[in-house]
Amino acid sequence: MSLDLDRRAFLAAALGATALGAARPARAQSVATSAKIVIIGAGAAGSSLANRLAARLDGAEITIIDARRRHLYQPGFTLIAAGLKPANYSVSDTSGWLPRAVNWIEEGAAEIDPEAKTVTTDSGTTVGYDYLVVAAGLKLNYDQIEGMDVSLIGKDGIGSVYASPEAAEATWREMDRFTDEGGVGLFTRPATEMKCAGAPLKYTFLTDDYARRKGNRGKTEIIYAAHSKSLFGVPIVNEKVRMLYGERGFDTRYEHVMKAIDPGRKVATFATPEGDQEIPFDFINVIPPMSAPDVVRNSPLPWADKWVGQGYVEVDQYTLRHNRYPDVFAAGDVAGVPKGKTAASAKWQVPVVEDQIVAQIAGREGTETYNGYTSCPLITRVGRAMLIEFDYGNNLVPSFPGVIAPLEELWVSWLMKEIALKATYNAMLRGRA
Amino acid sequence: MEELTFGTLIAVLEEMFGQALFWGLVVIAVLVTIAFVYVIVRDRSLRSRWFLRAELLAPIGAIAAIWFVFVITRSGLGDVGGPIDVIALILIGLAGAVGLTFLAYTVQAVIGGKRGAA
Ligand SMILES: Cc1cc2nc3c(=O)[nH]c(=O)nc-3n(C[C@H](O)[C@H](O)[C@H](O)COP(=O)(O)OP(=O)(O)OC[C@H]3O[C@@H](n4cnc5c(N)ncnc54)[C@H](O)[C@@H]3O)c2cc1C
């Protein structure tokens, strides 16, 4: 996760309950306006932005559109799937995170018309806007893997950490059984853009760790199917992970993209440069192809020449403002920017969108920009993690330079993931971090 | 871009413990501190007998604090991976030791009253 998240969390942990006093951050002066702002999606980015805009703008009409009543703390899925937390660890009420001043329409957005400046909901209600923020996250396309369906998760050795908290818990039951019995563990990732590209790696490490703790690593084979010629898009991180994979005895198959599963035969099929290859498994963590949600993909908002077919919103990578529609912004996973599909990134993106919108309303140019900050604490076993933080330039941007080394397996980094990350995430949702 | 502010820190701590528990802990910490200052002022010195006894509890406070953190985070000594981990453990132990010493002294002084110090 976020380095910035982590720094705060770390300081928080270090100071503990001895911190006295209750000074709140001085908020920038509020701006009076009657602007209509519509936010699509009440997830990590949307909720946080709704809170920040409600605090910054006086008189704005803010509407948030999202059919999902359950707010999901997705970084917790990995801990659930490792048997460390129950499924409800990641579940809360969407309504609890939204400020009273914001109007929540409990429906999905079905159509976006940036020329007419309207959004139409599933029931056909049309909402007009002066500013639109697309924060609809991304969509898991399990149906793009032949034979795969979410109803298979938790049966016959099939796991998938991504689908939901319940799926993560079902995956844990399969992983627990597998590490008791041994056999072939198969770990995949899609060839598309994805949220938290470290998550497939983490889960491989965690499964290996359980097999070792149970004394069953000898009868366990771990195969990691990488979609490309590398394990991670940032070269320095890739090299470190490659070394660790070697040390841990993983069998890495490069350029293997999962395309089909046969649950009866327990075989997965991969597209490779040498043609289709079948790999049998006793346990598999399926991570599906991802794209922008249909409402965005089918709108005029996506890039025409980048991430073709995936539908990510065509925004400037620094201001997050749409290149063709200056009153449209994107935040979170749905933004068509080269990095940044993590909650930690959303935390850095949201203040930028807030600043840009408030500035436009006040007739100024926004000054804040997003540098691509992405962070994903890479758990390497129960009790240790590595902090990985980088920017658009593939530079490491450690939050605690000289104190907490990046790319080093540390207990303090684990501590952050375990106790401080969710607190920081929640504070972000409230617009306070 | 984003700066770490005191307000952010408080926000994170509130989320971590829950608002009620966090501020409850703050109030308890403040009360113990006030009580400590009160007995020092009352007695016009640190009573060595109480202090010695309180100090004996320091290692227990240190071990308890470290044990507590290990248990809630399902980790252990074997997970220590670098210098910063050792430093963090020392800080946690120190916090437990100092905290328990203060508490023990204050409790003795309050219960023992002014004359108990003889
Ligand atoms: C297994 C896993 C592990 C992860 N680990 C980490 C980690 O360690 N660190 C980290 O920083 N990040 C991690 N992430 C990523 C993080 O959860 C996401 O990047 C983050 O939630 C993105 O926020 P968002 O607001 O863009 O999307 P989301 O939080 O997914 O919210 C999107 C919202 O949009 C809504 N929506 C969708 N379609 C529509 C529609 N048509 N109309 C209206 N609303 C719609 C959805 O209902 C949802 O509420 C992980 C994710 C997963 C799945």
Side-chain angles (χ1 to χ4, degrees):
Chain A
M1 283 271 228
S2 129
L3 212 9
D4 197 56
L5 285 185
D6 290 338
R7 175 192 310 177
R8 285 158 195 205
F10 178 71
L11 285 181
L15 294 186
T18 57
L20 304 176
R24 291 279 145 88
R27 283 248 172 236
Q29 237 192 327
S30 69
V31 174
T33 176
S34 56
K36 283 188 192 165
I37 301 173
V38 170
I39 302 172
I40 301 180
S47 299
S48 176
L49 186 66
N51 278 296
R52 297 183 75 102
L53 286 177
R56 277 297 289 284
L57 297 173
D58 189 12
E61 195 181 309
I62 305 173
T63 302
I64 195 159
I65 303 176
D66 194 328
R68 208 171 64 180
R69 289 175 173 210
R70 300 201 310 172
H71 183 96
L72 301 178
Y73 170 63
Q74 299 165 49
F77 290 6
T78 304
L79 298 175
I80 297 168
L84 300 170
K85 304 280 181 195
N88 67 15
Y89 173 69
S90 281
V91 182
S92 56
D93 288 332
T94 299
S95 61
W97 301 111
L98 299 177
R100 261 185 225 108
V102 167
N103 172 30
W104 174 26
I105 300 181
E106 277 186 58
E107 287 183 56
E111 205 187 318
I112 303 168
D113 184 342
E115 304 288 347
K117 296 203 197 185
T118 57
V119 177
T120 307
T121 67
D122 286 337
S123 72
T125 308
T126 297
V127 187
Y129 66 79
D130 297 311
Y131 297 96
L132 173 68
V133 183
V134 186
L138 47 68
K139 184 180 166 216
L140 303 172
N141 298 306
Y142 282 97
D143 56 355
Q144 288 176 12
I145 297 174
E146 201 188 314
M148 182 62 197
D149 188 88
V150 284
S151 65
L152 297 172
I153 299 168
K155 292 177 203 147
D156 301 321
I158 298 175
S160 183
V161 179
Y162 272 68
S164 64
E166 292 73 25
E169 199 170 66
T171 302
W172 160 242
R173 287 195 294 274
E174 288 301 300
M175 190 260 257
D176 190 32
R177 184 193 49 72
F178 165 69
T179 46
D180 284 337
E181 295 169 0
V184 177
L186 182 54
F187 298 84
T188 75
R189 64 145 287 164
T192 60
E193 288 288 320
M194 66 179 295
K195 46 184 161 187
C196 201
L201 305 168
K202 290 179 216 176
Y203 203 61
T204 315
F205 280 124
L206 283 165
T207 306
D208 168 80
D209 187 35
Y210 274 100
R212 282 173 200 271
R213 281 167 199 260
K214 293 177 180 180
N216 294 332
R217 186 61 176 95
K219 53 180 182 176
T220 306
E221 198 186 328
I222 292 193
I223 301 177
Y224 185 84
H227 73 296
S228 68
K229 290 190 169 99
S230 74
L231 292 161
F232 201 84
V234 178
I236 190 169
V237 177
N238 174 55
E239 278 305 294
K240 176 70 188 194
V241 174
R242 185 188 58 74
M243 285 164 59
L244 288 175
Y245 267 35
E247 278 167 30
R248 303 278 283 260
F250 300 167
D251 173 359
T252 304
R253 312 271 173 94
Y254 292 100
E255 297 186 277
H256 273 55
V257 179
M258 185 174 175
K259 57 181 281 193
I261 189 166
D262 184 337
R265 282 169 60 226
K266 289 195 163 190
V267 169
T269 307
F270 293 82
T272 79
E274 284 83 48
D276 288 358
Q277 308 247 320
E278 289 195 337
I279 303 179
F281 62 84
D282 296 290
F283 172 68
I284 186 170
N285 181 29
V286 179
I287 304 185
M290 303 180 196
S291 67
D294 295 341
V295 62
V296 180
R297 215 155 45 91
N298 300 331
S299 76
L301 299 179
W303 288 94
D305 55 348
K306 288 188 201 170
W307 302 289
V308 176
Q310 296 182 41
Y312 295 108
V313 180
E314 182 186 345
V315 290
D316 177 90
Q317 64 179 25
Y318 302 108
T319 63
L320 304 170
R321 188 204 284 188
H322 201 280
N323 286 339
R324 290 172 281 122
Y325 303 103
D327 35 31
V328 176
F329 294 82
D333 296 343
V334 79
V337 297
K339 297 245 170 0
K341 294 196 184 339
T342 64
S345 316
K347 184 177 163 303
W348 286 68
Q349 293 172 357
V350 164
V352 173
V353 174
E354 171 201 345
D355 174 68
Q356 296 286 339
I357 291 180
V358 172
Q360 275 193 43
I361 287 175
R364 296 182 275 114
E365 277 292 305
T367 50
E368 304 240 342
T369 53
Y370 171 63
N371 68 354
Y373 179 86
T374 305
S375 168
C376 183
L378 192 53
I379 297 169
T380 56
R381 68 183 211 197
V382 176
R384 274 194 194 169
M386 297 194 296
L387 289 193
I388 294 180
E389 304 166 281
F390 50 89
D391 64 11
Y392 283 139
N394 284 337
N395 303 301
L396 293 180
V397 284
S399 294
F400 313 95
V403 180
I404 300 185
L407 301 180
E408 199 173 311
E409 292 178 79
L410 295 172
W411 174 68
V412 287
S413 307
W414 166 259
L415 225 58
M416 290 177 189
K417 170 89 190 169
E418 256 270 320
I419 56 176
L421 221 52
K422 188 178 171 189
T424 312
Y425 177 92
N426 288 348
M428 168 184 86
L429 291 184
R430 295 193 202 282
R432 294 178 67 192
Chain B
M1 206 150 49
E2 288 269 285
E3 288 306 315
L4 173 64
T5 62
F6 193 64
T8 311
L9 192 63
I10 297 294
V12 171
L13 287 170
E14 280 185 11
E15 297 292 343
M16 206 182 281
F17 295 95
Q19 221 161 14
L21 179 58
F22 172 66
W23 289 110
L25 289 172
V26 169
V27 168
I28 290 170
V30 170
L31 287 180
V32 171
T33 308
I34 291 173
F36 179 76
V37 171
Y38 163 75
V39 296
I40 296 290
V41 170
R42 182 193 67 186
D43 304 338
R44 280 195 215 93
S45 70
L46 212 66
R47 296 299 159 105
S48 60
R49 190 155 57 100
W50 291 339
F51 195 64
L52 259 176
R53 258 196 242 147
E55 271 186 326
L56 288 177
L57 289 174
I60 295 175
I63 291 168
I66 291 172
W67 176 82
F68 177 74
V69 174
F70 277 149
V71 168
I72 61 164
T73 63
R74 295 166 204 251
S75 50
L77 266 186
D79 294 318
V80 168
I84 185 65
D85 292 346
V86 178
I87 293 169
L89 274 180
I90 291 172
L91 289 178
I92 292 166
L94 215 61
V98 172
L100 193 61
T101 305
F102 264 85
L103 184 66
Y105 183 91
T106 310
V107 168
Q108 291 179 84
V110 169
I111 291 176
K114 198 169 159 67
R115 258 176 276 150

